[in-house]
Amino acid sequence: RSPSRGLGDVYKRQDFDTWYLTANTSGNTNPIVNNWSRWTSHGGTGTVTFAAPSSGIWTFPSTGYWHIDWTGKFENTGSQERGCNLYLYATTNNNTYVFIHESSVSLHDSGNTTKGLTRVTYIFDVTDTSTHKIKLAVGYQNASRTLLGHGAYPYSNVTFTKLRET
C-alpha cells in the first residue's frame, strides 16, 4: 500500500511549461511564429522545457497525454468585432495539420478600445514526438484586430501540462 499524498506532492512533480507573446499580433496569422518567450516569473515553468516553436510549430519534449491551454487577450478599437478567434491545429504525421479546436470572443463597439479574453483547452495524446505536433493561430470574422502581447505580462499565452504517460 502506498502512503497517501497531498495535492502539493502532485503539483511539485508536475510537468508543464508556459510561453507568452511578447508583442502584439495583428490580423489573421496561421501559425503564430514570432515573439514567443518562456514565462519564468512566479513559478511559470515546471519540470519540462519546450523548445521555442520553429516556424510556429510546437514539438513536444516527450510522449504522453498533454493538456494544451491557449489563452488570448484581444483588443478592438472603433468598431464591432463578432469573432476574435483562437485556433488549434495538430498533426500526427508531421505533415498534414488539421483543425482541432476554436474559441471566440466578440468585442462591442463602445467608441473606445474594448478588450476581451478567450481560451482553447485540449488534451492531445502524443504517441510520437517526431510526428505529433501543434500550431497556434488567430483569425477574425470582420476585420483585422489585435491579439495582445506584452514584454512583461502573459496577456496571450499557452501552457503545456503533461497529465500522464500514453
Side-chain angles (χ1 to χ4, degrees):
R1 195 167 219 253
S2 64
S4 63
R5 296 184 312 212
L7 281 179
D9 295 329
V10 172
Y11 288 113
K12 285 178 191 172
R13 296 185 329 228
Q14 195 67 281
D15 294 336
F16 71 93
D17 201 4
T18 302
W19 288 74
Y20 70 107
L21 286 174
T22 59
N24 294 347
T25 300
S26 295
N28 296 333
T29 307
N30 182 8
I32 299 172
V33 176
N34 297 318
N35 303 312
W36 288 105
S37 183
R38 177 173 283 109
W39 179 252
T40 58
S41 298
H42 311 292
T45 300
T47 59
V48 298
T49 304
F50 271 70
S54 173
S55 301
I57 306 302
W58 293 89
T59 301
F60 291 83
S62 65
T63 59
Y65 288 96
W66 285 90
H67 178 244
I68 303 158
D69 190 357
W70 167 214
T71 301
K73 184 174 184 179
F74 291 92
E75 180 177 84
N76 179 36
T77 303
S79 65
Q80 181 175 330
E81 178 58 61
R82 287 189 306 263
C84 297
N85 310 304
L86 294 180
Y87 301 111
L88 172 66
Y89 295 86
T91 182
T92 57
N93 65 11
N94 196 33
N95 185 27
T96 306
Y97 283 82
V98 296
F99 171 78
I100 298 292
H101 201 350
E102 168 195 359
S103 181
S104 182
V105 63
S106 294
L107 300 179
H108 176 69
D109 178 11
S110 65
N112 296 307
T113 300
T114 56
K115 296 179 181 172
L117 192 70
T118 192
R119 182 175 169 201
V120 168
T121 64
Y122 185 74
I123 297 172
F124 189 33
D125 182 8
V126 178
T127 58
D128 185 333
T129 60
S130 66
T131 59
H132 290 58
K133 301 175 183 185
I134 67 155
K135 62 181 182 174
L136 305 173
V138 62
Y140 303 91
Q141 196 148 347
N142 291 344
S144 291
R145 303 296 178 218
T146 303
L147 177 65
L148 294 177
H150 194 282
Y153 303 107
Y155 288 167
S156 298
N157 64 80
V158 61
T159 298
F160 300 96
T161 306
K162 186 170 181 178
L163 301 176
R164 67 177 180 88
E165 288 299 324
T166 299

